[in-house]
Amino acid sequence: MPTSTDLLALLPELILILSAGIFLLLEAFVPSSRRNIPLLTMVSAALACWARVALPLPGSSFSGMVRIDRVSAFVDVYILAAVLLTAWMAGPFLRRTKTEGGEFYSLLLLAASGAMIMASSTDLLALFLGLELLSIPLYVLNAYFRKTEIGLEAGLKYFVVGAFAAGFVAFGIALLYGAAGSTNMEVIGRTILHGEGSTPLLVVGLAMFVGGMAFKLALVPFHGWAPDVYQGSPTPVTAFLSVVPKGAALVVLLRLAANLDLFHLTGHWVWAAGIIAVASQTLGNIVAIVQRDVKRMLAYSGIAHMGYAMVGVIVGGSDGSAAVLFYLAAYTFMNMGAFAVIALMSENENEPHLISDMAGQGFKRPVAALALTVCMFSLAGVPPFVGFTAKFLVFRSAVNQGLLALAILGVINSLVSAFYYLRVVYMLYMRPLPKREPAFAKSAMLTATAGVAALAVLLIGLFPSPMIRAAQSAAQLFLR
Amino acid sequence: MQIPHLLTIVTIGPAVAAGVLGLIPGRYERLHRWLALLASVVLFVVSLFLWTGFNPDVAGFQLVDGPIAWIPQLGINYTLGMDGISLLLVLLTTLLIPVVILASWTSISERVKGFHISLLLLTTGMIGAFLALDLFLFYVFWELMLIPMYFIIGIWGGARRIYAAVKFFIYTMVGSVFMLVAILYLGFFHHQLTGVWSFAYADFLKTAPQLAMGSSILHSPQLLVFLAFALAFAIKVPMFPFHTWLPDAHVEAPTGGSIILAGVLLKLGTYGFLRFNRALFPAAWEACVPLILILAVIGILYGAWVAMVQPDMKKLVAYSSVSHLGFVMLGLAAGTIASTQGAVLQMVNHGLSTGALFLLVGVIYERRHTRLIADYGGIAKVVPIYTGLFLLVTLSSIGLPGLNGFVGEFLILAGSWEKYPAVVVLGALGIIFGAVYMLWMVQRVFWSPFAHEENRDLKDINLREVLAVLPLLVFIVWIGVHPTTFLSPMEAAVRLLLAR
């Protein structure tokens, strides 16, 4: 039986789930309250965030199924920040596309609580539950524009691929259980430490499990779904999808790498994961160059960014893990800001979001365009924005670990990426306004969302110290 | 008088001014121009306190601001400091900003607000890069220059501006990303030796020279790190064969952008060679001197020859930059005190002379909308004052005794003679070619038979334009007549640097 401390440990998740239930009921019985649900969602996210930060971190809970530690706290805070920004974006966006509904926010909160559980689990079964709680609401959200073809395609694609990934993960868990006799990561780690090291069963199990996570991270060669799903999902959902599941999956990998000491377990880990990381960066960046739709471009850019973050996972230890945690938080703000501006773009989601449609918007919608510009430069890794600091930390950890090649390939890749990020800026400021304006809609709310995210990108970039401290103190747990 | 945090004020001041401009709606164009001019003039006046507060007898860094913990977890501090070398380059920068604003007064007629904000942010980047004493901080300022310059070329540039802007951005970034890895490696190496995380220049001065020099490039960390820095700076200078971005950027940039590009941005490359490559990696520098000398001479001669056949005045001046910067690199590579002082002075000279040339080319372009030499001819009678100024600047650029260019070139060549006489002979050829292409251009534009009726009503240079070019002329003559004023502050710093 869960004790009251156990329940208290999951209070933030419970707040989200409870709110999700209430919103569904409100939607059904008090339809007039619909307009206020975005605000209520933000409130409940803020409340959950407060609960996580203010309450003591109990550590291992639910008989070792989850571990609420400083890593969970760090991840939860940025997941909740992402929820907050998504809800902020979704309100005006759904109103403009005339698809308002309370269930949107319920699903959002459920998915977020799944991601939080996933990032906190130390037991693979709890992790699997979290994964499903994250994925199933997302399948619905992807197909939220159910009357458009690309919306349905996005939902179906993410569903089929997600089911595959879940299969991979479940199969991997089964094999790991077979190899170590437990589903608890810490126990598996200890068994390996005292046992014979890497057995075939263990290696195959790990490969399946990591492969399943790579699906969620859209790493090469498991990336095929990303562009279509990004393009077809409602823009706020794309924003959420581009940061939250990826963050949770990366943290799972961090915990796995730390508990099993993957860096030292087998020499294959650095090679295999290194190839995946570099291939993701390279493919993501090169294919992004030829994209005409900005959402598809950001999908490929996301593939590349997870490739950079993987470098930190490979390095592991406290140094690499801190870099990954910082990277996730940085990536959240840059992506949220970019998608908030993209949410201004078209009337319905069946229309493509062409980069060329942004022509001349720089002087027509200065605030939104400036926010997008900041996010683009940050994604390209240009100082003084936070994207640079994040890359700096990741590559620094690689250099310090003697993985100079990963750092060099990484910087060459971020050089390539500058090319397509710059094209957005070029469209915004260096092209005349077309006669027929496909234009950014006028929405103070969405512009404000983008502005806040961009401001965070700039300020954290200029003064990264507090966040680095938080990430480092969380990553102490991964000390080798 | 001592002003606390003077270096920070000079560095961050322009960015603050840019922020203020950002708050004023763009439709008040005149207000933006006047405020930007005011800010830049105030900046210049404040920067004069750098000169008065500077003690020429002290070799090390002065007026040091910091270290203030910035990212203490990684040992990164905010530290600014100035020696005689950076003093001159910072003053050159603050002198050029009001000149640029005056030169762009009528030629920038659209997006006035954005132009001045970009310019002021660029100023912060440039001054910060000259003053930063922490390599992380240096890198941030170094990259900070990219974005505004990209906008200045891309928004206010000529017909092929997009191509030029992207080329500029990508080229510069190619160099700097490898420099970033090198900086990371230096930090790691410092930690290995001392157990302390640091990116401070002063710390690296102690540890970086201890990087191993192996027999081959791949087994020599010092050489690899040296080359990573050198690539970044060689692209910026630009040294042959990394110069191809420069003519595009110059030709497409608006006049103000060209002045800044030639006047200051290129100097960051040569400054970087001196401050980082020369001081941090003495052994690798020693090994690479022949290569640098060869590339410098190729740059001098190649730049001059290509300049000679240019039909476009701006492109001609752009290629002459490649040639002149070759001289600077020659002086740095020769490494005697006289040649190094000459090189630093020549950085300033080139900023003044080439800045003035771009400005004057911009003046006539604004009237006729062509820069082709063939479209002019015999206009000396139509625009006598303009002709006189142009001739003066040309003579300064080709090194006429009594003007600034002569002093720099003479010191470089005389200082290098004892070590590399053959190189000096080749370099001196470059001076002759320089005189040829510049004077030939002047002759074709101003004195050949009057060819085009459109030039009949050409208006002479106006008061604003004279005011823009005047500060440059003052220093052109001052340095030429009394170079000691500018040579003595940097002497101690140069001696210290070369003694490493």
Short mmCIF file of all heavy atoms in Angstrom, two decimals, chain A residues 363 377 382-384 388 392-393 396 400 411-412 415 418 422 425-426 429-430 462 464-465 468-469 472, chain B residues 70-74 111 136 139 143-144 147 150-151 154-155 161-162 169 173-174 180-181 184 188 197:
data_model
loop_
_atom_site.label_atom_id
_atom_site.label_comp_id
_atom_site.label_asym_id
_atom_site.label_seq_id
_atom_site.Cartn_x
_atom_site.Cartn_y
_atom_site.Cartn_z
N PHE A 363 9.63 43.81 -39.94
CA PHE A 363 9.30 45.19 -39.65
C PHE A 363 7.80 45.40 -39.49
O PHE A 363 7.34 46.44 -39.09
CB PHE A 363 9.87 46.11 -40.73
CG PHE A 363 11.37 46.01 -40.81
CD1 PHE A 363 11.97 45.19 -41.74
CD2 PHE A 363 12.16 46.71 -39.91
CE1 PHE A 363 13.35 45.08 -41.79
CE2 PHE A 363 13.53 46.61 -39.95
CZ PHE A 363 14.13 45.79 -40.89
N PHE A 377 18.91 32.37 -33.57
CA PHE A 377 20.34 32.51 -33.28
C PHE A 377 20.75 31.62 -32.11
O PHE A 377 21.83 31.05 -32.09
CB PHE A 377 20.70 33.97 -32.99
CG PHE A 377 20.88 34.80 -34.23
CD1 PHE A 377 20.13 35.94 -34.43
CD2 PHE A 377 21.79 34.43 -35.20
CE1 PHE A 377 20.29 36.70 -35.58
CE2 PHE A 377 21.96 35.18 -36.35
CZ PHE A 377 21.20 36.32 -36.54
N VAL A 382 24.74 30.75 -31.22
CA VAL A 382 25.51 31.99 -31.26
C VAL A 382 25.39 32.67 -29.90
O VAL A 382 24.29 32.82 -29.40
CB VAL A 382 24.97 32.92 -32.36
CG1 VAL A 382 25.76 34.21 -32.40
CG2 VAL A 382 25.04 32.22 -33.70
N PRO A 383 26.50 33.07 -29.28
CA PRO A 383 26.38 33.82 -28.04
C PRO A 383 25.79 35.19 -28.31
O PRO A 383 25.86 35.65 -29.44
CB PRO A 383 27.83 33.95 -27.56
CG PRO A 383 28.69 33.68 -28.73
CD PRO A 383 27.89 32.88 -29.70
N PRO A 384 25.22 35.87 -27.36
CA PRO A 384 25.16 35.54 -25.94
C PRO A 384 23.91 34.76 -25.55
O PRO A 384 23.47 34.86 -24.41
CB PRO A 384 25.14 36.93 -25.31
CG PRO A 384 24.34 37.74 -26.27
CD PRO A 384 24.62 37.19 -27.63
N PHE A 388 24.00 28.83 -26.98
CA PHE A 388 25.46 28.77 -27.00
C PHE A 388 25.99 28.18 -25.69
O PHE A 388 26.83 27.29 -25.69
CB PHE A 388 26.05 30.16 -27.23
CG PHE A 388 27.52 30.23 -26.90
CD1 PHE A 388 28.44 29.61 -27.71
CD2 PHE A 388 27.96 30.90 -25.77
CE1 PHE A 388 29.79 29.65 -27.40
CE2 PHE A 388 29.29 30.94 -25.45
CZ PHE A 388 30.22 30.32 -26.27
N PHE A 392 28.16 24.95 -25.29
CA PHE A 392 29.47 25.10 -24.64
C PHE A 392 29.63 24.05 -23.55
O PHE A 392 30.65 23.38 -23.46
CB PHE A 392 29.56 26.51 -24.05
CG PHE A 392 30.87 26.83 -23.39
CD1 PHE A 392 31.95 27.26 -24.13
CD2 PHE A 392 31.01 26.69 -22.02
CE1 PHE A 392 33.16 27.55 -23.53
CE2 PHE A 392 32.21 26.98 -21.40
CZ PHE A 392 33.29 27.41 -22.16
N LEU A 393 28.59 23.88 -22.71
CA LEU A 393 28.68 22.91 -21.61
C LEU A 393 28.82 21.49 -22.14
O LEU A 393 29.63 20.71 -21.63
CB LEU A 393 27.43 23.02 -20.73
CG LEU A 393 27.37 24.24 -19.83
CD1 LEU A 393 26.01 24.33 -19.17
CD2 LEU A 393 28.46 24.17 -18.79
N ARG A 396 32.19 21.05 -23.75
CA ARG A 396 33.22 21.13 -22.72
C ARG A 396 33.33 19.78 -22.00
O ARG A 396 34.42 19.28 -21.78
CB ARG A 396 32.86 22.23 -21.73
CG ARG A 396 33.75 22.30 -20.52
CD ARG A 396 33.27 23.42 -19.59
NE ARG A 396 33.97 23.38 -18.33
CZ ARG A 396 33.60 22.65 -17.29
NH1 ARG A 396 32.53 21.87 -17.38
NH2 ARG A 396 34.29 22.67 -16.17
N ASN A 400 36.63 17.43 -21.86
CA ASN A 400 37.23 17.03 -20.58
C ASN A 400 37.29 15.52 -20.42
O ASN A 400 38.13 15.00 -19.69
CB ASN A 400 36.43 17.62 -19.41
CG ASN A 400 36.55 19.12 -19.38
OD1 ASN A 400 37.38 19.69 -20.07
ND2 ASN A 400 35.72 19.77 -18.58
N VAL A 411 30.78 20.81 -33.26
CA VAL A 411 30.85 22.22 -33.66
C VAL A 411 30.75 22.37 -35.17
O VAL A 411 30.16 23.33 -35.67
CB VAL A 411 32.12 22.95 -33.14
CG1 VAL A 411 32.11 23.03 -31.64
CG2 VAL A 411 33.38 22.31 -33.65
N ILE A 412 31.28 21.39 -35.91
CA ILE A 412 31.14 21.47 -37.37
C ILE A 412 29.65 21.41 -37.72
O ILE A 412 29.15 22.15 -38.57
CB ILE A 412 31.90 20.32 -38.06
CG1 ILE A 412 33.40 20.51 -37.84
CG2 ILE A 412 31.59 20.28 -39.55
CD1 ILE A 412 34.24 19.41 -38.41
N LEU A 415 27.85 24.55 -37.11
CA LEU A 415 28.19 25.47 -38.19
C LEU A 415 27.23 25.28 -39.37
O LEU A 415 26.68 26.24 -39.91
CB LEU A 415 29.62 25.18 -38.61
CG LEU A 415 30.19 25.98 -39.74
CD1 LEU A 415 30.29 27.42 -39.29
CD2 LEU A 415 31.56 25.46 -40.09
N ALA A 418 23.81 26.74 -38.81
CA ALA A 418 23.64 28.19 -38.90
C ALA A 418 22.98 28.57 -40.21
O ALA A 418 22.21 29.52 -40.30
CB ALA A 418 24.99 28.88 -38.76
N LEU A 422 19.69 30.89 -40.22
CA LEU A 422 19.86 32.23 -40.79
C LEU A 422 18.82 32.51 -41.86
O LEU A 422 18.43 33.65 -42.06
CB LEU A 422 21.24 32.34 -41.43
CG LEU A 422 22.40 32.76 -40.57
CD1 LEU A 422 23.62 33.00 -41.43
CD2 LEU A 422 22.07 34.02 -39.82
N VAL A 425 15.88 34.19 -40.48
CA VAL A 425 16.15 35.60 -40.18
C VAL A 425 16.19 36.41 -41.48
O VAL A 425 15.67 37.53 -41.54
CB VAL A 425 17.50 35.72 -39.43
CG1 VAL A 425 17.80 37.16 -39.11
CG2 VAL A 425 17.46 34.89 -38.17
N TYR A 426 16.78 35.81 -42.49
CA TYR A 426 16.85 36.48 -43.78
C TYR A 426 15.45 36.78 -44.31
O TYR A 426 15.17 37.89 -44.77
CB TYR A 426 17.65 35.60 -44.74
CG TYR A 426 17.27 35.67 -46.19
CD1 TYR A 426 17.49 36.84 -46.92
CD2 TYR A 426 16.70 34.58 -46.83
CE1 TYR A 426 17.14 36.89 -48.25
CE2 TYR A 426 16.35 34.63 -48.15
CZ TYR A 426 16.56 35.79 -48.86
OH TYR A 426 16.20 35.86 -50.17
N TYR A 429 13.78 39.74 -42.29
CA TYR A 429 14.27 41.11 -42.35
C TYR A 429 14.76 41.55 -43.71
O TYR A 429 14.90 42.74 -43.96
CB TYR A 429 15.42 41.29 -41.35
CG TYR A 429 14.96 41.24 -39.92
CD1 TYR A 429 15.08 40.08 -39.18
CD2 TYR A 429 14.38 42.35 -39.33
CE1 TYR A 429 14.65 40.02 -37.88
CE2 TYR A 429 13.94 42.30 -38.03
CZ TYR A 429 14.08 41.14 -37.30
OH TYR A 429 13.64 41.09 -36.01
N MET A 430 15.10 40.62 -44.58
CA MET A 430 15.78 41.04 -45.79
C MET A 430 14.96 40.80 -47.04
O MET A 430 15.47 40.93 -48.14
CB MET A 430 17.14 40.33 -45.88
CG MET A 430 18.00 40.67 -44.68
SD MET A 430 19.48 39.73 -44.59
CE MET A 430 19.91 39.98 -42.85
N LEU A 462 22.87 35.30 -20.78
CA LEU A 462 23.80 36.28 -20.21
C LEU A 462 24.21 35.89 -18.79
O LEU A 462 25.34 36.12 -18.38
CB LEU A 462 23.15 37.67 -20.19
CG LEU A 462 23.08 38.40 -21.52
CD1 LEU A 462 22.34 39.72 -21.37
CD2 LEU A 462 24.48 38.65 -22.08
N PRO A 464 24.01 32.64 -16.94
CA PRO A 464 23.65 31.22 -16.85
C PRO A 464 23.97 30.59 -15.50
O PRO A 464 23.58 29.46 -15.24
CB PRO A 464 24.50 30.58 -17.95
CG PRO A 464 25.69 31.46 -18.07
CD PRO A 464 25.25 32.84 -17.69
N SER A 465 24.67 31.34 -14.66
CA SER A 465 25.23 30.73 -13.46
C SER A 465 24.19 30.03 -12.57
O SER A 465 24.41 28.88 -12.18
CB SER A 465 26.00 31.78 -12.67
OG SER A 465 26.73 31.16 -11.69
N ILE A 468 23.12 26.78 -14.14
CA ILE A 468 24.20 25.79 -14.15
C ILE A 468 24.36 25.20 -12.76
O ILE A 468 24.57 23.99 -12.59
CB ILE A 468 25.52 26.45 -14.62
CG1 ILE A 468 25.42 26.85 -16.08
CG2 ILE A 468 26.68 25.49 -14.44
CD1 ILE A 468 26.66 27.50 -16.62
N ARG A 469 24.23 26.09 -11.74
CA ARG A 469 24.37 25.59 -10.38
C ARG A 469 23.29 24.54 -10.10
O ARG A 469 23.57 23.47 -9.56
CB ARG A 469 24.27 26.74 -9.38
CG ARG A 469 24.71 26.33 -7.98
CD ARG A 469 24.65 27.50 -7.00
NE ARG A 469 25.28 28.69 -7.53
CZ ARG A 469 24.67 29.87 -7.63
NH1 ARG A 469 23.42 30.02 -7.24
NH2 ARG A 469 25.31 30.92 -8.10
N GLN A 472 24.09 21.38 -11.98
CA GLN A 472 25.23 20.67 -11.41
C GLN A 472 24.88 20.01 -10.10
O GLN A 472 25.31 18.89 -9.82
CB GLN A 472 26.41 21.63 -11.23
CG GLN A 472 27.14 21.88 -12.53
CD GLN A 472 28.41 22.67 -12.33
OE1 GLN A 472 28.54 23.38 -11.34
NE2 GLN A 472 29.33 22.56 -13.27
N TRP B 70 31.41 35.27 -13.08
CA TRP B 70 30.30 35.28 -14.02
C TRP B 70 29.67 33.88 -14.02
O TRP B 70 28.49 33.72 -13.72
CB TRP B 70 30.80 35.69 -15.40
CG TRP B 70 29.76 35.79 -16.45
CD1 TRP B 70 28.42 35.87 -16.24
CD2 TRP B 70 29.96 35.83 -17.85
NE1 TRP B 70 27.77 35.97 -17.46
CE2 TRP B 70 28.69 35.95 -18.45
CE3 TRP B 70 31.09 35.77 -18.68
CZ2 TRP B 70 28.53 36.00 -19.83
CZ3 TRP B 70 30.92 35.84 -20.05
CH2 TRP B 70 29.64 35.96 -20.61
N ILE B 71 30.46 32.87 -14.36
CA ILE B 71 29.98 31.50 -14.23
C ILE B 71 31.01 30.79 -13.35
O ILE B 71 31.89 30.09 -13.87
CB ILE B 71 29.86 30.81 -15.60
CG1 ILE B 71 29.13 31.73 -16.59
CG2 ILE B 71 29.10 29.50 -15.47
CD1 ILE B 71 28.99 31.12 -17.97
N PRO B 72 30.95 31.01 -12.04
CA PRO B 72 32.02 30.51 -11.17
C PRO B 72 32.18 29.00 -11.24
O PRO B 72 33.28 28.49 -11.05
CB PRO B 72 31.58 30.97 -9.78
CG PRO B 72 30.15 31.32 -9.90
CD PRO B 72 29.90 31.72 -11.30
N GLN B 73 31.09 28.28 -11.56
CA GLN B 73 31.19 26.83 -11.62
C GLN B 73 32.21 26.37 -12.64
O GLN B 73 32.81 25.31 -12.51
CB GLN B 73 29.83 26.22 -11.98
CG GLN B 73 28.74 26.46 -10.95
CD GLN B 73 28.00 27.75 -11.19
OE1 GLN B 73 28.39 28.57 -12.02
NE2 GLN B 73 26.92 27.97 -10.46
N LEU B 74 32.40 27.17 -13.68
CA LEU B 74 33.33 26.78 -14.74
C LEU B 74 34.60 27.63 -14.69
O LEU B 74 35.42 27.58 -15.60
CB LEU B 74 32.69 26.93 -16.11
CG LEU B 74 31.29 26.36 -16.29
CD1 LEU B 74 30.82 26.54 -17.72
CD2 LEU B 74 31.28 24.89 -15.94
N ARG B 111 14.72 51.95 -42.44
CA ARG B 111 15.04 51.19 -41.23
C ARG B 111 16.15 51.87 -40.44
O ARG B 111 17.13 51.24 -40.04
CB ARG B 111 15.50 49.78 -41.58
CG ARG B 111 14.81 49.16 -42.76
CD ARG B 111 13.57 48.44 -42.33
NE ARG B 111 12.98 47.69 -43.42
CZ ARG B 111 11.70 47.80 -43.75
NH1 ARG B 111 10.89 48.63 -43.10
NH2 ARG B 111 11.20 47.08 -44.71
N PHE B 136 36.55 33.01 -22.55
CA PHE B 136 35.13 32.80 -22.78
C PHE B 136 34.46 34.13 -23.11
O PHE B 136 33.69 34.25 -24.07
CB PHE B 136 34.50 32.18 -21.53
CG PHE B 136 33.03 31.85 -21.67
CD1 PHE B 136 32.63 30.64 -22.20
CD2 PHE B 136 32.07 32.76 -21.28
CE1 PHE B 136 31.28 30.35 -22.33
CE2 PHE B 136 30.72 32.47 -21.41
CZ PHE B 136 30.33 31.26 -21.93
N TYR B 139 35.32 35.21 -26.51
CA TYR B 139 34.57 34.49 -27.53
C TYR B 139 33.15 35.05 -27.66
O TYR B 139 32.62 35.19 -28.77
CB TYR B 139 34.52 33.00 -27.21
CG TYR B 139 33.94 32.18 -28.32
CD1 TYR B 139 34.72 31.81 -29.40
CD2 TYR B 139 32.61 31.81 -28.32
CE1 TYR B 139 34.19 31.09 -30.45
CE2 TYR B 139 32.07 31.08 -29.37
CZ TYR B 139 32.87 30.73 -30.42
OH TYR B 139 32.33 30.02 -31.47
N GLU B 143 31.78 36.67 -31.13
CA GLU B 143 30.62 36.21 -31.89
C GLU B 143 29.52 37.25 -31.90
O GLU B 143 28.71 37.30 -32.82
CB GLU B 143 30.09 34.91 -31.27
CG GLU B 143 31.01 33.74 -31.43
CD GLU B 143 30.79 32.99 -32.73
OE1 GLU B 143 29.80 32.28 -32.87
OE2 GLU B 143 31.64 33.17 -33.62
N LEU B 144 29.52 38.08 -30.88
CA LEU B 144 28.49 39.12 -30.80
C LEU B 144 28.59 40.07 -31.99
O LEU B 144 27.61 40.68 -32.40
CB LEU B 144 28.67 39.89 -29.48
CG LEU B 144 27.56 40.85 -29.09
CD1 LEU B 144 26.29 40.07 -28.86
CD2 LEU B 144 27.92 41.61 -27.83
N ILE B 147 26.28 39.01 -35.49
CA ILE B 147 24.85 39.22 -35.78
C ILE B 147 24.59 40.62 -36.32
O ILE B 147 23.97 40.77 -37.37
CB ILE B 147 24.01 38.89 -34.53
CG1 ILE B 147 24.22 37.43 -34.14
CG2 ILE B 147 22.55 39.17 -34.78
CD1 ILE B 147 23.58 37.05 -32.84
N TYR B 150 25.95 41.00 -39.80
CA TYR B 150 25.11 40.25 -40.74
C TYR B 150 23.90 41.09 -41.15
O TYR B 150 23.55 41.18 -42.33
CB TYR B 150 24.68 38.95 -40.08
CG TYR B 150 23.60 38.17 -40.79
CD1 TYR B 150 23.87 37.50 -41.97
CD2 TYR B 150 22.31 38.10 -40.27
CE1 TYR B 150 22.90 36.78 -42.62
CE2 TYR B 150 21.33 37.38 -40.91
CZ TYR B 150 21.62 36.72 -42.09
OH TYR B 150 20.64 36.00 -42.72
N PHE B 151 23.29 41.75 -40.17
CA PHE B 151 22.14 42.59 -40.48
C PHE B 151 22.55 43.80 -41.30
O PHE B 151 21.87 44.19 -42.24
CB PHE B 151 21.45 43.04 -39.20
CG PHE B 151 20.56 41.99 -38.60
CD1 PHE B 151 20.75 41.56 -37.31
CD2 PHE B 151 19.53 41.44 -39.34
CE1 PHE B 151 19.94 40.59 -36.75
CE2 PHE B 151 18.71 40.46 -38.79
CZ PHE B 151 18.92 40.04 -37.49
N GLY B 154 23.19 42.62 -44.74
CA GLY B 154 22.03 41.97 -45.35
C GLY B 154 20.83 42.88 -45.55
O GLY B 154 20.04 42.66 -46.45
N ILE B 155 20.66 43.88 -44.69
CA ILE B 155 19.47 44.73 -44.82
C ILE B 155 19.78 46.00 -45.62
O ILE B 155 19.01 46.40 -46.47
CB ILE B 155 18.91 45.11 -43.43
CG1 ILE B 155 18.49 43.85 -42.69
CG2 ILE B 155 17.73 46.06 -43.57
CD1 ILE B 155 17.90 44.09 -41.33
N ARG B 161 23.49 41.55 -51.60
CA ARG B 161 23.79 41.65 -50.16
C ARG B 161 23.56 40.34 -49.43
O ARG B 161 24.28 40.03 -48.49
CB ARG B 161 22.95 42.76 -49.54
CG ARG B 161 21.45 42.55 -49.67
CD ARG B 161 20.72 43.75 -49.10
NE ARG B 161 19.29 43.50 -49.03
CZ ARG B 161 18.47 43.66 -50.06
NH1 ARG B 161 18.95 44.07 -51.22
NH2 ARG B 161 17.19 43.39 -49.94
N ILE B 162 22.54 39.58 -49.83
CA ILE B 162 22.24 38.36 -49.08
C ILE B 162 23.40 37.38 -49.19
O ILE B 162 23.86 36.81 -48.20
CB ILE B 162 20.95 37.70 -49.63
CG1 ILE B 162 19.81 38.70 -49.64
CG2 ILE B 162 20.60 36.47 -48.83
CD1 ILE B 162 19.51 39.30 -48.31
N PHE B 169 28.91 35.62 -42.63
CA PHE B 169 28.53 34.95 -41.38
C PHE B 169 29.14 33.55 -41.31
O PHE B 169 29.78 33.18 -40.33
CB PHE B 169 27.00 34.85 -41.31
CG PHE B 169 26.47 34.53 -39.96
CD1 PHE B 169 26.00 35.54 -39.14
CD2 PHE B 169 26.43 33.23 -39.49
CE1 PHE B 169 25.50 35.25 -37.89
CE2 PHE B 169 25.94 32.94 -38.24
CZ PHE B 169 25.47 33.96 -37.43
N MET B 173 32.12 32.11 -38.91
CA MET B 173 31.78 31.06 -37.95
C MET B 173 32.66 29.83 -38.14
O MET B 173 32.99 29.15 -37.18
CB MET B 173 30.31 30.71 -38.08
CG MET B 173 29.65 30.66 -36.71
SD MET B 173 27.92 30.36 -36.80
CE MET B 173 27.74 29.27 -35.40
N VAL B 174 33.03 29.55 -39.39
CA VAL B 174 33.92 28.41 -39.63
C VAL B 174 35.16 28.56 -38.76
O VAL B 174 35.59 27.62 -38.08
CB VAL B 174 34.34 28.35 -41.12
CG1 VAL B 174 35.49 27.38 -41.31
CG2 VAL B 174 33.17 27.92 -41.98
N LEU B 180 36.60 27.80 -30.61
CA LEU B 180 35.87 27.44 -29.40
C LEU B 180 36.39 26.12 -28.83
O LEU B 180 36.64 26.01 -27.62
CB LEU B 180 34.37 27.33 -29.71
CG LEU B 180 33.50 26.90 -28.55
CD1 LEU B 180 33.51 27.96 -27.47
CD2 LEU B 180 32.08 26.65 -29.00
N VAL B 181 36.57 25.13 -29.69
CA VAL B 181 37.10 23.85 -29.21
C VAL B 181 38.49 24.06 -28.61
O VAL B 181 38.83 23.48 -27.57
CB VAL B 181 37.13 22.81 -30.34
CG1 VAL B 181 37.73 21.51 -29.85
CG2 VAL B 181 35.74 22.57 -30.88
N LEU B 184 38.17 25.49 -25.23
CA LEU B 184 37.77 24.44 -24.29
C LEU B 184 38.96 23.56 -23.92
O LEU B 184 39.15 23.19 -22.76
CB LEU B 184 36.68 23.57 -24.94
CG LEU B 184 35.30 24.18 -25.02
CD1 LEU B 184 34.39 23.33 -25.87
CD2 LEU B 184 34.73 24.31 -23.62
N PHE B 188 40.65 22.81 -20.26
CA PHE B 188 40.86 21.44 -19.78
C PHE B 188 42.33 21.23 -19.41
O PHE B 188 42.66 20.67 -18.35
CB PHE B 188 40.43 20.48 -20.90
CG PHE B 188 40.89 19.07 -20.74
CD1 PHE B 188 40.41 18.30 -19.69
CD2 PHE B 188 41.78 18.51 -21.63
CE1 PHE B 188 40.83 16.98 -19.55
CE2 PHE B 188 42.20 17.21 -21.50
CZ PHE B 188 41.74 16.44 -20.45
N TRP B 197 39.72 25.28 -12.51
CA TRP B 197 39.07 25.64 -13.76
C TRP B 197 39.26 27.12 -14.02
O TRP B 197 38.99 27.94 -13.14
CB TRP B 197 37.58 25.33 -13.72
CG TRP B 197 37.29 23.87 -13.78
CD1 TRP B 197 36.79 23.10 -12.78
CD2 TRP B 197 37.51 23.00 -14.89
NE1 TRP B 197 36.68 21.80 -13.20
CE2 TRP B 197 37.11 21.71 -14.49
CE3 TRP B 197 38.01 23.19 -16.18
CZ2 TRP B 197 37.20 20.61 -15.34
CZ3 TRP B 197 38.08 22.09 -17.01
CH2 TRP B 197 37.68 20.82 -16.59
#
